[in-house]
Amino acid sequence: MGTVTFSCVFVVLAFLLANVNGVEVGFYELKRGDFSVKLTNYGAVINSVILPDRNGKLDDVVLGFDSVDGYKNDTTYFGAVVGRVANRIGGAKFTLNGTTYHLVANEGKNILHGGPKGYGDVIWSVLTYKPDSHITFTYESFDGEEGFPGALSVAVTYMLIETNKLGVKFEAKAHNKATPVNLAQHAYWNLGGHNSGDILSHELQIFGSRITPVDDELIPTGELTPVKGTPFDFLELHKIGDRINELPKGYDINYALDDNSTTHFRRAAEVYDSVSGRRLQLWTTAPGVQLYTGNLVHDVKGKGGYIYKEHAALCLETQGFPDSVNHPNFPSQIVNPGETYKHIMVYRFTAH
């Protein structure tokens, strides 16, 4: 995108306009055949993904809300783009180039997903929108936002690729100061349908043989430990519920992906629901993927009035490693002035 300085070229609203603090918010649909994705510029959220099962029956396979009001009051980050730095930073502080930055804590003394008003809680502009192809949202993040240094121009593009593939491309250009950047997509997936119950019978494979273990506050210790033979072992496809009871609450952990290439996509994960026959395969350019099994989803009223409960879905958030700003041995997330951060993920859906 060249210089990645953004202006709103045009806006075509698909449907359902709302007004939030005097700014227009809309829902936008991307559709190709019987595969469709609905999004909103509030938080650059994925609101729905509708696709057929093995018998051609269409279902919406992501959790969400019917209106913008639901997202405004959301504490689950349903479908949101989270940042400036996704996941956690210990002590809500870090030191960069000799300066210590104190961030706005929102999870005890730590910061999660960019702070109390991260990118999932701001209104993005629509740069381009083509209903059968793609939509690009942009956001101008200011110097000092939630404590982070430097102005940052951010863009996320959702694109339909070939048949039943969804691409997500993140880009961010730092302007006047070096800053950490780690953008992630926080969709909650249930391949049986958002209103079909829990995902404990979904089968999962993760292409990462190590995790970044965490302390009691879910802050990484800085180690990388092997998963083989532990409850975190998804090296081969098996049910999510097989060993989840061996963990206090469920899964909420970052996997270091095994393919260390920085020049092409890594296989991140595969999910299969035997009831519907739907399969999700995920590729990414990021070094890690966070597995989260909706452990803190408790009686949330979602789309169609359905009540989402614990383990109603799983998240597979491709990302840089959590708290990397405080662990020099983790892959760096620092973007210097004039540099552009890029992160691409591709979801492929099939049913058989």
Side-chain angles (χ1 to χ4, degrees), residues 63-64 76 78 188-190 193-200 249 292-302 305-314:
L63 275 55
T76 61
F78 280 167
Y188 283 68
W189 300 98
N190 185 323
H194 79 98
N195 56 356
S196 66
D198 65 51
I199 45 77
L200 298 180
K249 295 180 181 178
Y292 175 58
T293 49
N295 313 325
L296 299 178
V297 177
H298 298 300
D299 297 327
V300 177
K301 187 176 181 180
Y306 187 78
I307 305 298
Y308 302 133
K309 296 183 179 294
E310 188 179 26
H311 309 317
L314 78 154

Side-chain angles (χ1 to χ4, degrees), residues 338-349:
E339 294 178 348
T340 300
Y341 161 97
K342 291 184 180 181
H343 168 199
I344 303 172
M345 49 198 312
V346 176
Y347 303 94
R348 177 177 182 250
F349 301 95

Side-chain angles (χ1 to χ4, degrees), residues 248-261:
K249 295 180 181 178
Y251 293 98
D252 192 1
I253 195 73
N254 173 66
Y255 286 76
L257 297 175
D258 288 334
D259 183 349
N260 292 319
S261 170

Side-chain angles (χ1 to χ4, degrees), residues 83-85 89 94 101-104 111 113-124 139-154 177 179-180:
R84 179 176 302 195
V85 174
I89 296 176
F94 64 93
Y101 294 95
H102 296 273
L103 310 173
V104 184
I111 186 172
H113 293 329
K117 192 174 181 181
Y119 294 171
D121 288 308
V122 300
I123 300 171
W124 296 57
Y139 178 66
E140 295 297 331
S141 183
F142 58 87
D143 185 1
E145 186 170 13
E146 303 299 272
F148 288 99
L152 190 74
S153 293
V154 188
K177 295 178 185 176
T179 183

Side-chain angles (χ1 to χ4, degrees), residues 228-270:
K228 192 168 182 61
T230 75
F232 298 101
D233 185 347
F234 286 96
L235 293 170
E236 295 183 3
L237 201 69
H238 70 83
K239 290 181 179 179
I240 292 170
D242 281 351
R243 289 174 285 201
I244 197 169
N245 290 333
E246 297 178 39
L247 303 172
K249 295 180 181 178
Y251 293 98
D252 192 1
I253 195 73
N254 173 66
Y255 286 76
L257 297 175
D258 288 334
D259 183 349
N260 292 319
S261 170
T262 58
T263 59
H264 66 270
F265 288 101
R266 302 172 173 92
R267 294 180 75 185
E270 184 169 324

